[in-house]
């Protein structure tokens, strides 16, 4: 098969940089696919920083309606099955990520379905920052007026294990009125690239478009330190090594760190329909091949029996037939094979259900290492109270079924470190008002400034009138 090379552009302030004047970086992938992209250098970074203030002023001046409608119109074009950039991503992203095309398509429908409704972003701003007009109006709060401003330059170290996450990260940067520098993930540089290119094609002069730059650099390149230390805030997605690398390069820069997390499910089959529980659990295991932080790796099950096991095997086989594993990464597949061999050697029951492997193991013996790749550890428990001790500060999402058990156990689990509890099967569809890794991280992307009300606007707790207030504040102590 002839090797295919995709030539991507370096984008600075919404403009494509002339490839002929830049050093090219080549990334090679399986399936005879290569990507070239111009290397970010000091000249490009200086251009971005020189225009930063003017670009941010333009973006800050837009009302939320203009920002959300620009993104909504863009999203509608992506929801068209014939969209140029949608087809570009669906053609190449499965080869880069190792995900089935159905997962990529579902992700595109999810993120652009979300953006196509302007109200969705209004809700996020309202939920996290307190008022949907906080960027355009001075909002009265107690004895002050508040307004939110972007931090300045927000550099995003993007991850490719969760296709829509990189687009979502850039969107959150835009709605917080930051100038954005995205570092493309090596695993999937094209999803976010296609998103930014579609903005340029829609309107290259729009303040939203001009606020976004997109680049690639090697981790050890000196430009990495230059870009991060020039930032006003950093958003870093990735494994522990990535998070530590960012901290080492720019220790004093405010950061939103979205590091490695793991998720689980808790089922009470005494109260729940076993067939529905099996269907929902199969989706939690299969989507993203467990590489997203929200993907269930372990299930704590009360009332586990052969009836549920049969239902689960059936649903896992159906999922595998519909959306099979397509990755050919030898390291990933070898890791799963080793985990299965170790499980069998330890005497644990190992069940193959299509592409999904189910390992039944006592929770006291559960291994610390997880191979991902649709491998589910099931831990039968007698009492759901037992489950809390197995969660920690690295546990992101716990899915529950039936929903009624959430109210009973949520305080115990969240005290242990759990950040989110979701209805089983719906972890990949966060609801309005959700928090991310225990944070409302839009707050960390803005400066929340205030104007104090003057002396003539007495605060409700003051018992003095205006002239008495002046006397109390400004009389010299020595004259008393």
């Amino acid at each position: 098969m002839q090797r295919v090379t995709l030539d991507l552009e370096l984008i600075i302030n919404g403009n494509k940089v002339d490839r002929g004047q830049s050093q090219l970086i080549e990334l090679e992938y399986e399936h005879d696919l290569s990507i070239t992209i111009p290397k970010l250098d000091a000249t490009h970074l200086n251009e971005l920083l020189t225009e930063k203030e003017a670009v941010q002023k333009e973006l800050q001046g837009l009302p939320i309606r203009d920002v959300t409608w620009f993104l909504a119109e863009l999203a509608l074009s992506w929801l068209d099955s014939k969209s140029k950039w949608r087809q570009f991503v669906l053609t190449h992203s499965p080869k880069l990520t190792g995900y089935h095309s159905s997962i990529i398509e579902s992700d595109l429908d999810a993120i652009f379905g979300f953006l196509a409704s302007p109200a969705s972003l209004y809700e996020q701003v309202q939920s996290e920052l307190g008022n949907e007009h906080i960027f355009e109006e001075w909002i009265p709060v107690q004895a002050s007026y508040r307004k939110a401003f972007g931090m300045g330059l927000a550099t995003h170290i993007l991850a490719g294990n969760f296709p829509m996450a990189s687009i979502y990260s850039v969107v959150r940067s835009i709605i917080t009125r930051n100038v954005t520098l995205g570092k493309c993930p090596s695993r999937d540089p094209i999803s976010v690239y296609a998103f930014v290119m579609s903005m340029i094609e829609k309107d290259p002069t729009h303040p939203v478009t001009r606020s976004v730059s997109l680049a690639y650099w090697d981790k050890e390149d000196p430009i990495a330190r230059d870009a991060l230390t020039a930032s006003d805030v950093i958003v870093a997605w990735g494994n522990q090594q990535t998070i530590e690398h960012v901290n080492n390069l720019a220790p004093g820069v405010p950061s939103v760190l979205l590091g490695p997390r793991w998720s689980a499910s808790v089922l009470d089959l005494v109260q729940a329909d076993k067939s529905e529980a099996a269907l929902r659990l199969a989706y939690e295991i299969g989507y993203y091949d467990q590489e997203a932080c929200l993907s269930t790796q372990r299930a704590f099950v009360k009332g586990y029996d052969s009836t549920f096991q049969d239902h689960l095997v059936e649903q896992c086989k159906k999922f595998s037939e519909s959306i099979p594993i397509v990755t050919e990464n030898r390291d990933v597949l070898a890791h799963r094979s080793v985990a299965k061999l170790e499980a069998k050697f330890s005497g644990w029951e190992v069940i193959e259900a299509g592409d999904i492997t189910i390992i039944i193991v006592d929770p006291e013996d559960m291994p610390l290492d997880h191979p991902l790749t649709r491998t589910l550890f099931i831990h039968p428990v007698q009492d759901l109270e037992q489950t809390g001790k197995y969660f920690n500060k690295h546990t992101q999402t716990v899915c529950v079924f039936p929903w009624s058990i959430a109210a009973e156990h949520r305080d115990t689990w969240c005290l242990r470190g759990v950040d989110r509890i979701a209805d089983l099967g719906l972890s990949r569809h966060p609801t309005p008002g959700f928090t991310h890794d225990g944070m409302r991280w839009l707050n960390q992307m803005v400066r929340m400034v205030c104007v104090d009300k003057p002396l003539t606007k007495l605060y409700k707790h003051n018992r003095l009138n205006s002239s008495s207030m002046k006397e109390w504040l400004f009389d010299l102590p020595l004259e008393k």
Side-chain angles (χ1 to χ4, degrees):
M1 183 182 296
Q2 186 174 3
R3 195 164 193 85
V4 174
T5 300
L6 304 177
D7 297 323
L8 307 189
E9 309 281 356
L10 170 65
I11 299 167
I12 300 295
N13 298 325
N15 296 310
K16 296 180 285 186
V17 174
D18 184 356
R19 287 173 59 90
Q21 298 181 8
S22 303
Q23 178 183 342
L24 297 181
I25 296 174
E26 183 171 9
L27 306 174
E28 296 190 352
Y29 300 88
E30 297 175 346
H31 305 285
D32 295 305
L33 181 64
S34 298
I35 289 177
T36 66
I37 185 168
K39 174 185 175 299
L40 182 74
D41 62 27
T43 301
H44 305 133
L45 182 59
N46 184 61
E47 180 182 349
L48 190 163
L49 295 173
T50 299
E51 296 189 34
K52 180 184 80 169
E53 186 174 341
V55 170
Q56 186 182 12
K57 185 177 180 180
E58 285 184 344
L59 188 61
Q60 184 74 42
L62 291 182
I64 188 171
R65 182 188 184 282
D66 289 1
V67 175
T68 57
W69 272 99
F70 178 86
L71 294 172
E73 290 173 352
L74 190 70
L76 289 172
S77 71
W78 274 84
L79 292 173
D80 181 350
S81 62
K82 298 178 182 178
S83 161
K84 165 188 170 182
W85 290 110
R86 182 186 179 95
Q87 288 303 316
F88 177 76
V89 171
L90 289 176
T91 299
H92 300 295
S93 185
K95 300 173 186 177
L96 299 171
T97 62
Y99 291 138
H100 192 275
S101 59
S102 295
I103 292 178
I104 305 298
E105 189 157 20
S106 176
D107 257 18
L108 295 179
D109 287 341
I111 186 64
F112 291 112
F114 170 81
L115 292 176
S117 171
S120 300
L121 292 177
Y122 277 76
E123 289 172 346
Q124 281 210 345
V125 173
Q126 170 75 38
S127 170
E128 299 197 33
L129 299 176
N131 191 294
E132 59 194 28
H133 297 292
I134 194 73
F135 291 98
E136 61 203 79
E137 298 176 10
W138 288 94
I139 308 298
V141 180
Q142 302 294 341
S144 301
Y145 297 95
R146 289 183 190 165
K147 189 175 183 181
F149 291 81
M151 294 281 282
L153 175 62
T155 297
H156 296 245
I157 309 300
L158 302 170
N161 66 314
F162 189 10
M164 68 176 168
S166 56
I167 297 173
Y168 181 64
S169 196
V170 170
V171 168
R172 286 172 80 83
S173 197
I174 290 169
I175 64 172
T176 49
R177 309 304 199 274
N178 283 288
V179 176
T180 302
L181 171 60
K183 190 265 183 185
C184 289
S186 58
R187 178 171 174 179
D188 176 21
I190 67 168
S191 294
V192 67
Y193 172 79
F195 175 59
V196 177
M197 286 296 292
S198 69
M199 287 197 292
I200 294 172
E201 288 192 358
K202 174 175 171 52
D203 186 350
T205 64
H206 195 282
V208 168
T209 305
R210 283 177 36 77
S211 73
V212 180
S213 299
L214 195 64
Y216 183 84
W217 58 80
D218 292 324
K219 184 170 64 173
E220 304 304 327
D221 192 314
I223 199 68
R225 183 185 298 276
D226 295 341
L228 292 176
T229 55
S231 304
D232 298 292
V233 63
I234 298 167
V235 178
W237 303 69
N239 57 27
Q240 192 60 38
Q241 185 180 15
T242 298
I243 299 302
E244 290 175 357
H245 182 68
V246 168
N247 280 333
N248 289 335
L249 288 183
V253 179
S255 300
V256 180
L257 304 177
L258 303 164
R261 309 294 295 276
W262 67 279
S263 295
S265 291
V266 178
L267 290 72
D268 185 351
L269 299 180
V270 177
Q271 303 181 53
D273 179 275
K274 295 177 182 179
S275 177
E276 184 178 354
L279 170 65
R280 289 176 175 230
L281 184 56
Y283 270 75
E284 291 291 354
I285 306 160
Y287 255 83
Y288 309 120
D289 299 342
Q290 295 176 303
E291 294 200 39
C293 290
L294 51 76
S295 299
T296 285
Q297 299 179 12
R298 308 176 185 278
F300 299 85
V301 184
K302 179 181 178 180
Y304 184 84
D305 59 15
S306 59
T307 302
F308 173 70
Q309 181 171 295
D310 291 344
H311 284 307
L312 183 59
V313 169
E314 178 187 3
Q315 294 299 337
C316 288
K317 286 181 177 178
K318 285 183 178 179
F319 188 94
S320 300
E321 290 169 3
S322 176
I323 306 178
I325 283 182
V326 296
T327 183
E328 297 177 7
N329 186 297
R330 294 187 183 92
D331 292 337
V332 167
L333 297 175
H335 191 185
R336 185 174 70 157
S337 296
V338 169
K340 289 192 287 187
L341 289 172
E342 289 178 344
K344 291 176 181 177
F345 181 79
S346 299
W348 303 335
E349 184 178 1
V350 178
I351 304 166
E352 301 291 352
D355 289 336
I356 295 173
T357 299
I358 302 167
I359 300 173
I360 317 297
V361 54
D362 188 285
E364 293 296 323
D365 298 325
M366 70 179 196
L368 295 177
D369 187 35
H370 196 291
L372 308 179
T373 326
R374 302 190 186 182
T375 306
L376 175 67
F377 289 98
I378 287 187
H379 307 299
V381 295
Q382 297 299 317
D383 186 347
L384 296 186
E385 285 292 335
Q386 301 175 27
T387 57
K389 65 181 181 180
Y390 303 111
F391 302 143
N392 54 41
K393 64 181 181 180
H394 301 294
T395 311
Q396 188 208 63
T397 301
V398 171
C399 293
V400 296
F401 194 75
W403 176 246
S404 58
I405 66 177
E408 185 177 352
H409 300 284
R410 58 193 176 190
D411 288 302
T412 299
W413 296 343
C414 293
L415 278 169
R416 289 286 301 167
V418 173
D419 285 331
R420 178 179 171 229
I421 297 173
D423 200 6
L424 183 66
L426 300 180
S427 69
R428 69 186 192 281
H429 297 293
T431 55
F434 83 103
T435 59
H436 191 145
D437 286 4
M439 298 179 286
R440 293 181 300 171
W441 60 271
L442 289 190
N443 279 277
Q444 295 169 256
M445 300 285 289
V446 302
R447 292 184 303 114
M448 191 66 72
V449 305
C450 75
V451 173
D452 295 351
K453 291 185 179 179
L455 181 60
T456 54
K457 302 288 186 181
L458 294 178
Y459 187 48
K460 63 185 178 184
H461 295 301
N462 291 340
R463 294 182 297 230
L464 302 176
N465 60 30
S466 183
S467 91
S468 298
M469 192 70 174
K470 285 184 179 179
E471 182 179 346
W472 177 70
L473 284 170
F474 302 121
D475 269 7
L476 294 176
L478 293 178
E479 295 177 357
K480 291 184 178 180

